[in-house]
Structure formats: C-alpha cells, structure tokens
Amino acid sequence: MKTKSIIFAIATAAAATHALAGPAQEAAQAHFTAIGSADRAAILRDYADNARLTWVGGPLDGSYDGTAVIGAVWDKFNAAAGPARVTILGASESANPKGATVVAAVQFDGKTQVKVRYVLTYRDGKLVNETWQVDPKLAAGAY
C-alpha cells in the first residue's frame, strides 16, 4: 500500500509540474520543437535582438551574440544533426515580474544523439540568454 502511495505522489507531482507550466516553459518547449524540426525562422523568432547563445561543449562551443550570428550557429547545427526527434527529459520554470528562467534536460535524436542541459532566460516574452550545455550522461529528471 505504501508503494502505491509513493507512486501516486510521484505521478501527481509530475502531472502538476506539466499542468502548471508557465508561458516561459511553453515557449521553451516550442523552441526545442523548432530546433528539432530545423525550422530556422521559428527558432529565430524566439530571440530578442540582443540575445546571447552560449554553447558549452561539442564543435559549436563558444558564445554568440545577436540573431544573425545565432542563426548561423543553428544553420551549422541543423546541417550536422538534421531534423531530430525531441525528448524533453525534464523541465522547470522560475518567474517573477522581471522575467523567467527555464531549466531543462533535452535529448535530440537526429543523425546523432545530442543530450543537452538547457538554461533559457526570457524577458518581455523574448529569449535573451540561452545556454546549451552538451551533456552525454544526461538522464531523465536531471534538470
């Protein structure tokens, strides 16, 4: 009986997390989907003009500022990875009146598998800072 209670509590907490997803988490999920579908226009729509992408690990390691430069990075990624199935292993959102941050564990399965720990910061509904941390050992619930 105790095991059933624990399983129910975990399932309820997981459902509540999904049901309580705020606007930033929904925007992040759409962003991940756009990346997986290699939809450059949809990816770039998410960013503020002065956005920064910090890529940690892998061949695209570096910091990139502005939508034009960030677009070129996604072009390189899409050429190498191709369209990919996106699996969100876990995500959480923190928000206050000044902005919101989403932390997520995401797996992209395309020409190759890429596991990523994500931190996305939104202000006024636009993505202003994105950290893409390549993490080959990333597992579900690791966010």
Side-chain angles (χ1 to χ4, degrees), residues 71-103:
V73 172
W74 288 119
D75 290 342
K76 289 177 187 176
F77 177 77
N78 291 332
R85 183 172 46 91
V86 177
T87 305
I88 299 172
L89 303 171
S92 65
E93 175 181 330
S94 297
N96 65 40
K98 296 290 187 178
T101 300
V102 174
V103 178

Side-chain angles (χ1 to χ4, degrees), residues 17-106:
T17 299
H18 181 69
L20 297 176
Q25 190 167 337
E26 290 173 6
Q29 291 172 349
H31 186 66
F32 305 147
T33 299
I35 293 167
S37 64
D39 185 344
R40 185 182 204 274
I43 294 168
L44 293 181
R45 254 193 315 270
D46 296 338
Y47 293 101
D49 292 338
N50 62 342
R52 167 172 273 194
L53 167 62
T54 303
W55 198 293
V56 183
L60 296 172
D61 184 79
S63 291
Y64 307 94
D65 295 315
T67 55
V69 174
I70 291 171
V73 172
W74 288 119
D75 290 342
K76 289 177 187 176
F77 177 77
N78 291 332
R85 183 172 46 91
V86 177
T87 305
I88 299 172
L89 303 171
S92 65
E93 175 181 330
S94 297
N96 65 40
K98 296 290 187 178
T101 300
V102 174
V103 178
V106 182

